[in-house]
Structure formats: structure tokens, C-alpha cells
Amino acid sequence: MIELKTPISEEIIRSLKVGDEVLVTGRMFTGRDAVHKYLHEGGQLPAGVDFKGGVLYHCGPVIIKDDQGQWKCVAAGPTTSIREEPYQWQVIRDFGLRGVIGKGGMGERTLAACKEYGCVYLHAIGGAAQVLAECIKRVPNVHFMEKFGAPEAIWEFETVQFPAVVTMDANGNSLHKEVFAASQAELAKYL
Amino acid sequence: MNRLFESLLELIRRTSTVIPDDVHRAILASLEQEKKGTIAANAMQIIDQNIALARNKSQPICQDTGSIIFYVEAPASLDQIAFEEQAREAVKTATKKGYLRQNSVDSITGKNDGTNLGPGSPTVHFHQHRSPEISVRLVLKGGGCENVGAQYSLPNEKLKANRDLDGCRKAILDAVLQAQGKGCGPGILGVCIGGDRATGYEHSKQQLLRSLDDQNPNPELATLEKDIVETANKLGIGPMGFGGKTTLLGTKIGVLNRLPASYFVSVSYMCWAYRRQGMVLDAEGAVQKWLY
Ligand code: SF4
């Protein structure tokens, strides 16, 4: 297990390899379809939000307000990342992301951007909404709540040891491509 | 009808928050199978922790609480309209209580009114039988795994799949290959051979009502079910597609007659977060026993 603390340096990111298991601690932002499309079309991040060195989580969390009026995350599994494939490369390039968390993996353009700008794709365990919510200790802020609605808003998370696996690294490797090719070759033996 | 409402609400709560025993056993068995310390084993470990947390906190196993599909078997005396009204009320309340996410979107306007009620949501399938017993089963089918379902029309030249059981096998294994880990594997397949495009998918979903350790009464299909699981688990796709030994936890295959002109193989993929439960009701609508 490799501990990562946000903000993460380019050097550390480039040292990660596919198959590495990581635990992410620190500030993390959520962003899914609406946020990606908005940034792609030239939209600016809200004041006080800086993705530089940071990690973006493809997630539409379930968040409630507790008795003290604080946000509390009750379910926060990853959503399918491939929907952001048309936009992700640009968001990595323009906003200095070092990590993208989601599920299912992403395509060639994102893989190329990871290599060029120094970023990795981290695969969280799909469906593990409760375990992952437990790693989100605080929800200090939310942005674009009015504009995009709760699941699509940019939520700020304070995480402690959020588990994920590097499945696309900054050296052009993709575990998804490797496993697909290997399983295809294997299947041919049994047909 | 108040009893019925309470029972339906509890059915939804259990389905969303507690994994059925047969599925949990299969998950634990696969956790044993994976080599200790591998990514696959650690992924299965997190999945197992998640199952325990969801049950203890009475919160959804996965935040995508899926399509809400009821299957009702009842005598002709059941008032289906009244039943469906209670089911809708129970869904609305379960959503307010957080057992279900606000998960139903108008396909044209994109609006989500937060109730989970609308055309097709929930879906209730009624089936009449001669026995006085009323049984209600519920499946919550997530979107990520629904997206990797597939329907093949045989023959398929690319797969060299003809209109026979070997052709079906090739189609089903291709569905496993294409899905990789994207449907939150390890997965469970419900398959239908035959039918039309609509009934084929429908019947493939109904296979998911079968217990994982049942035995297909048709020996040829029983063999095929076993073979699909064994072969899929040799492919090295593994949990989440990380690589590993567990790609499928089970496969259930059903058959419908077809037209001479068509030969469909329909595959529904269910994620590890296999949410299904069922209950037998008494005449007042109180739960007599749980089915899984
Ligand atoms: S596929 Fe299943 S486990 Fe994965 S996110 Fe969807 S509902 Fe959850």
C-alpha cells in the first residue's frame, strides 16, 4: 500500500505503476458529467477551488446534513468514468490534476494526457459505497449546488486512507488494456 | 392494506441493505480463492467489509439502488391495482428514508422529481397461480451492470457462433469478455436462449431470481451453466477487472421458444451488489417467511 497525500507532486505520480494499491489522504473534489462538460466549454472553477496537484473523484455522493448542520457523506462509491473521456484530457491539462478516481477505466486520450501532464487514473471499488464513505471524514464545502444539483455538484472531501488501485499510470500503461488483451487471448483457447 | 405497505417497505429495506445468503457465501468462497495480498483479494475484502457495514448501518450496499423490479405470484383473488398502489407508496417512503436513492429520471426533460415514481418505475410483474400463497420478490438492478448486458442474434459470423448450444456458449463468453470488470464484477449472469428481443431480456432477468446454488432441471443447461462459470474464471479478468480468479459468481440460463427466423441469446449482467429478496405473505399482507 502506498500512501498518497494531496497535493501530490509530479515526481511521486510518475513513480506509480499500474497495479499499485494506494491510500489517498487529504482534500479531494468530486466532479462528474456536468462539471466536465462545463470545464470543457471554457467554464472556470469557483473561487477557492484549485485542482492543482489534486485528485478529482467521479462520484455522485449521497450527502445529508447532520444535527449540527454539517454535511455528512453517507454513500460515496465511484461512477463509471468512461463518460468523461471526451473531456478528461483537457481538464487534466488545464487544471493540473494529478489523479482521477473512478471505475471502469478510461480511454486513449486520457491515457495520453496522463503521460504528457503527469497524472494517474485510480480505480476505486465499484459498489463499495459504505466503505468509501467511511474514509470521507469531513465535507467542508460544496460548489455549484444550485447550478448542477447535489449529485453533480463539486463536493470537497477530507479523506483519510481512501483505497484505490492505479490502473492507468503516467508512463502510458493501462491495466484495462492489459487485462483485456490477456483475457481475449485466453478465451481463444477455450472456444 | 396497511400490513402490506409495511411488508413491502421492509422488503425494499432488506433488499437494498442486506446481501442474500447464497450470494454472500459465493463472495466469501471467492475471497478464499484469490491469492492473499493480491489486488483481487483486497478488492474482495473491501466488498465483504462493505456488505457488513451496509447491513449494520441499514444503509444501501451501493448508492446506485437501481431499477426497482417486483415479481408477484398470487391467486386470482389478489387486487392487482390496489397492490400496485401500495408498492408505489412503499417505494416513495423507502426513497424518503434513504433505502433507495432518488434514481428515476424523465428521459426527455432530464428531470428527477425525487420520488422514484414514473413510467416504468417501479416495474411490477404479476403472475397468477392456483395456490392461495402470495409471494413477492424484488430485484434492484444497478445501472452500471445493466449497461454491459448484451443480446446476440445467431448465427454470428464474427464469433463463429451457430444456432446451437455451442453458439450460445460463444455468445455468452463474448459478453463476459466485453464486460470485463465494468459491471462491477465479479458478476452473475442471467441468460435467456430464444424469445424475442423483449421477452428474451425479460426472461434473462428472471433467471436472477434463482438461488445461486440451485440446479437447472435441464441437464444440458446445467452443464452449460457450470461450464460458463468455470471458463470465465480462467480468463483472468477478476474482481473489478483488476485481474484474478473470480470473474463470475454464477450463471443461470433459461429458455423460451423462438420463431424459426430468429435465435436470440440475451445476457443480463448482475454486479456483485446482487440485491434480491423475497417474501411470502399471509392474507393480511404480513410477512410469513423470507425467501432468500
Ligand atoms: S454496477 Fe452494481 S455495484 Fe456497480 S455501481 Fe452499479 S449498482 Fe453499484
Side-chain angles (χ1 to χ4, degrees), chain A residues 78 103 126-127, chain B residues 62-64 141-145 182-184 271-273 275:
Chain A
K103 72 163 175 126
Chain B
C62 176
Q63 79 271 358
D64 182 359
K141 176 86 173 56
C145 59
K182 287 179 229 151
C184 291
C271 52
W272 69 261
R275 285 152 295 170

Side-chain angles (χ1 to χ4, degrees), chain A residues 25-28 135-140 156-160:
Chain A
T25 298
R27 187 68 49 112
M28 191 187 278
C135 302
I136 295 158
K137 301 298 177 192
R138 240 163 45 83
V139 182
E156 289 184 36
F157 289 164
E158 279 307 333
T159 65
V160 175

Side-chain angles (χ1 to χ4, degrees), chain B residues 179-192:
Chain B
Q180 293 285 303
K182 287 179 229 151
C184 291
I188 298 89
L189 302 184
V191 180
C192 172

Side-chain angles (χ1 to χ4, degrees), chain A residues 25-82:
Chain A
T25 298
R27 187 68 49 112
M28 191 187 278
F29 299 93
T30 67
R32 46 187 289 172
D33 309 76
V35 169
H36 281 82
K37 182 161 173 287
Y38 165 82
L39 294 177
H40 173 75
E41 287 169 347
Q44 292 304 306
L45 286 175
V49 174
D50 190 358
F51 284 175
K52 226 177 171 57
V55 171
L56 184 64
Y57 183 20
H58 296 156
C59 171
V62 180
I63 309 242
I64 55 163
K65 260 204 174 133
D66 68 12
D67 305 340
Q68 280 100 52
Q70 302 287 312
W71 297 113
K72 188 172 164 10
C73 180
V74 293
T79 187
T80 301
S81 299
I82 196 70

